[in-house]
Amino acid sequence: MGPFILRRLFFLIFVLFGVSVLIFGILMSFSPERRAAAYITTPQQAKDLPRLVQKYGLDDPFYIQYGRWVGEVASGNLGWSLVAAQPVWTAFWMYFPVTLELNLYAAPLIIWFGIWLGTRSAIHRDDWFDHLSRVFAIVGWSLPTFLFALVLLMVFYGYFRIFPPGIIGDETALYIMNHPEAFTRYTGMVTVDGILNGNWRVALDGLRHLVLPVTTQVIVVMALLMRVMRSGMIEELSKDYVITARAKGADDRTVHLRHARKNALIPVVTVAGQLVAFSMEGSIAVEVVFNRQGMGWWLAESATQLDMPVLMGMCLFMGLVFVITNLVIDILYAAIDPRIRLV
Amino acid sequence: MIRLSKQLHRSIFVFLPLCLTIALLPSPAQTAPKNPDTFIMASYGTVRTLDPCVAYDTLSGQRVLNLYEPLVFFDGEATDEFIPLLATKVPTMENGGISKDGKTYTFEIRKGVTFHEGGELTAEDVAYSFKRNMIADPDGGPMWMMLEALTGEGSTRDENGKIRSGIFEKIDQAVAVQGNQVILHLPKPYPPLMGILAYASSVVLQKNWAIVNGCWDGNIANAENYNNPAPGHEPLQKIANGTGAYQLKAWEPSKQFVFERFDGYWGGTPALDTAIFKYVKEWSTRKLMLQNGDADRVVVDTPYIPEVKAMKDLTFYEVPQLAMTAACFCRKINPAGNPNIGSGKLDGEGIPPDFFSDMHVRKAFLHAFDRETYRDDVFGGLVILPSSPNIQGLPYHKEAPIYPFDLKKAEEHMKQAFDGRVWDQGFKMVITYNTGNAMREAAAFMLAENIMSLNPKFRIEVRNVDWKDYLVKYRNFMYPIFIIGWGADYADPHNFMYTFMHSQGVYGRYMGYKNKEVDRLCDAGIDTVDPIKREEIYFRLQDLWYLDAVAIGLYQQIDFRAYRDYVKGYQPNPMFNSEWEYLKRLTKE
């Protein structure tokens, strides 16, 4: 397995090179003035556009601009994010923990519920439970995330006032600011840092702010996983080895959970891996409605404002995430199915 | 399993409809202040910098003007009257602070003022601040204003980005210290100077602190090394040490900005201990925060005003802004690969590049714009219809004649345009607006539909374009009509009339508009000190705006503000839009 992992990580260099050339090439299709416009916010500033083009060499040939960017990245400088008003690297460590924290809670729930619901649906195929869970999946999948998030916010914050938007309450935030010696930000994730500092007030406040975004994320994303699990289980349950197992006197629990479910998990692992990878980009709707500025918000704002250093940095990050995710998926394949060998 | 399934059943068929029902129910009112010592505001603008020489957006300016202070500031609602802040009095010709020729301004500096990090304010700090900011002069920054007033040059660099010869020496000589006085020497009288000195780029830094933190070292021979810092590389981008009533507690970009009361403030202790400015992009979230009392004020965009007005326990303000939006006619459209003018000829399938150079075409478009309907339907009446760029609230404003909505007259003008060929051949063109701006979108559609109703051969398509693309393309003369706004840098008609009407103005240039009399008057307006002569000049320019049918003045926005009713102390001023908040005046009662 060692050489396999090393080889895959080696290929990462080529993946990142390919992705960065592609994205850089796409961004070059915007005119130099359009790219310089990222530096201005008002019509008053527009008079300086030609000077900005000249200053940053935005009209230089592609290979020169790309080479300049690679040189900067190689020296550890990912550039300045105009959207975040700070260096890309610093901004990344501000926004990524927000997205990661949401996924830390949402991803296990999505995977557990998705597998459980899919398995039960397949076992009770065409039963009322199956119909119900399929309706649930269709509703969850087709429900606009933005609308669903808004409804939850209106009910639980607007009316009941129990789950406010944001990442942390004002009083807690001021408490942290006023007691820097008593609270260390280890990870940037409020609940995790609260636990690591032994400060339950902070951890619980962070958790309170996570309830609605996690609920939204779970209900919306789980549907796909549940559908894949269900169809995989149905297919496995119709195979000969299941009949053989039953003929040998295996009970339902053994047949369903030890034999069929294990084999049905292969496509589920693929989908779950992709979902987790995609979720690292953040969910724009969830982040905007619940006012948790994370990777989704940052990427969306950077794309609309053509904040090139962020877009390039993000493509490197997502390339890295997908390569590692696929690597983990391959390893899981081998763990689930002994016939698969990693060479 | 059956129990779980029943729960699932309930969650789908009961939970969601229940949620929707509850969401529509009125929420219990929030009456008492939640955080009596803290002011919380939610808006969707992002702060770019705290460095005064770079801060040119409203939000950065708001932060800077609460952390630092200028010599003078606007007196209440006035835009042309000032109160002293770090100066002891506002210089005038009467009190001898301004020389008779209008070229020397003398400021006595206030004593007993301390900076947040300690140290007392001196005249040397003031002079250093002005010089440092002008020397830095970043691209896209606000320093052109002070440079124009104090050196006669709009930039430290020429059009090719090279440093202008002798510019730093000019800056050095323009600002002098004499005892406890700071004296400004202008190359020629500059009437809007006092407004520029009230701007965020004119605040005072502590010299030693600034140098320690990487600003200009005070030696004019080294000035070039500190010129034009790249975005984010300005030394004071994220730190502050001013004399303002509030100091910087924390800034998490795009999340929140926290001010803390400065107990050593020279002007008395402010009422509120803390102020938190939160970034909340989504309107529904902001509205719920206001409703629940988690925000004391939120930024409300025009489409949402009616629903906010229906909310309880709020205090509303309507503040006309020194800003105007116009539909500008481009008289020399760029024909190269331009899809906005079709064939590029007057053949019924396009328009020629000089389409709007014909006065009759422009007048037809002006008569076809239904101003009153636009005001009532799009803004619910909450807007001012400008008669010229010398809008209400600016000195020397007058109600100039306008072209009333009259489709008959529009038709008559179209029949005369291009010797009748426009009417006979018809035309096809595109009107663009920047994506997401509902007010401009409505104006574009209204204009297009009314023009098309004149003659079935007239075809106008309306398209939206991303804002940054829009900026680039109108500057390349790509749009037959570009709809764009201008907000005041300072409250003087020069800032508007030059912009819209001078052949080198920011918009005049890209309209391809040139009238020698207009150019001469615009130049004379800024060079003249005598108010009576200035009035004559700007009255004439307002008439020429009408006579030349320069562009369609669409709207002068009225800013709408909603505070929780226990927040007091807001002082409206047309210079500041909805992102503005002057914290030292606020209380929660």
Side-chain angles (χ1 to χ4, degrees), chain B residues 25-38:
Chain B
L25 286 174
S27 172
Q30 173 71 38
T31 49
K34 263 188 179 171
N35 309 291
D37 291 329
T38 305

Side-chain angles (χ1 to χ4, degrees), chain B residues 6-17:
Chain B
K6 278 183 179 170
Q7 283 168 4
L8 203 65
H9 181 268
R10 282 196 200 104
S11 69
I12 293 170
F13 291 105
V14 180
F15 175 74
L16 271 180

Side-chain angles (χ1 to χ4, degrees), chain B residues 81-101:
Chain B
E81 290 171 23
F82 302 89
I83 52 167
L85 278 182
L86 296 184
T88 55
K89 62 185 175 189
V90 177
T92 60
M93 284 194 178
E94 290 72 37
N95 67 21
I98 303 176
S99 63
K100 292 242 161 42
D101 63 2

Side-chain angles (χ1 to χ4, degrees), chain B residues 87 201 260 366:
Chain B
S201 55
E260 185 180 45
L366 277 153

Side-chain angles (χ1 to χ4, degrees), chain B residues 410-424:
Chain B
E411 185 178 324
E412 284 168 20
H413 282 294
M414 278 300 192
K415 284 178 176 169
Q416 295 175 67
F418 284 83
D419 299 324
R421 284 189 294 134
V422 170
W423 190 260
D424 295 339

Side-chain angles (χ1 to χ4, degrees), chain A residues 30-31 33-35 37-52 54-56 77 80 82-87 94-95 98 116-117 120 124 128-129 132-133 135-136 139 143 146 148 150-161 164-165 167-171 173-174 177-178 185 215 219 288-294 297 301 304-305, chain B residues 1 4-6 8-9 11-13 15-16 19-20 22-23 25-30 35 38 40 46-48 56-57 138-141 144 155 157-161 228-232 237 249-256 258 260 274 276 278-282 284-285 288-289 291-292 294 466-469 471-472 474-476 484-487 489 506-507:
Chain A
F30 291 96
S31 70
E33 279 201 319
R34 174 63 188 88
R35 281 178 281 132
Y39 296 95
I40 62 170
T41 50
T42 64
Q44 274 93 332
Q45 298 167 305
K47 66 178 168 36
D48 288 334
L49 277 174
R51 286 207 299 233
L52 286 165
Q54 194 183 43
K55 182 175 180 180
Y56 297 107
N77 179 18
W80 179 264
L82 292 160
V83 167
Q86 53 192 321
M94 192 169 113
Y95 298 124
V98 177
W116 179 79
L117 264 182
R120 302 307 310 175
H124 299 278
W128 64 269
F129 180 90
L132 209 60
S133 55
V135 169
F136 185 70
V139 170
L143 202 64
F146 199 80
F148 184 58
L150 269 180
V151 169
L152 287 185
L153 190 73
M154 284 176 184
V155 174
F156 291 101
Y157 173 60
Y159 191 80
F160 292 118
R161 298 182 177 179
I167 295 167
I168 194 168
D170 295 326
E171 283 183 19
L174 287 174
M177 281 177 210
N178 291 326
R185 288 177 183 267
T215 307
I219 290 177
V288 167
V289 172
F290 297 113
N291 202 39
R292 304 175 62 86
Q293 277 74 251
W297 171 86
E301 289 288 315
T304 51
Q305 296 190 34
Chain B
M1 179 48 57
L4 274 174
S5 303
K6 278 183 179 170
L8 203 65
H9 181 268
S11 69
I12 293 170
F13 291 105
F15 175 74
L16 271 180
C19 287
L20 282 167
I22 293 172
L25 286 174
S27 172
Q30 173 71 38
N35 309 291
T38 305
I40 300 173
T46 52
V47 182
R48 292 207 155 189
Y56 201 11
D57 57 290
D139 281 329
W144 66 270
S155 171
R157 297 172 298 283
D158 62 18
E159 286 172 1
N160 298 317
N228 198 15
Q237 194 263 343
K249 177 80 174 170
W251 176 26
E252 295 175 80
S254 312
K255 288 189 176 174
Q256 61 179 0
V258 184
E260 185 180 45
T274 310
I276 304 174
K278 294 185 173 187
Y279 174 89
V280 184
K281 188 179 171 73
E282 169 55 29
S284 304
T285 315
L288 291 172
M289 289 173 72
Q291 172 195 293
N292 286 4
D294 288 330
D466 166 70
W467 166 236
K468 298 285 174 75
D469 281 329
L471 275 183
V472 170
Y474 91 75
R475 291 169 56 82
N476 286 327
I484 202 154
W486 184 262
D489 293 305
V506 173
Y507 297 148

Side-chain angles (χ1 to χ4, degrees), chain B residues 30-31 290-291 293 295-296 313-315 562-567:
Chain B
Q30 173 71 38
T31 49
L290 182 67
Q291 172 195 293
D296 299 308
D313 305 319
L314 300 177
T315 308
Y563 287 87
R564 297 293 312 188
D565 56 5
Y566 40 70
V567 180

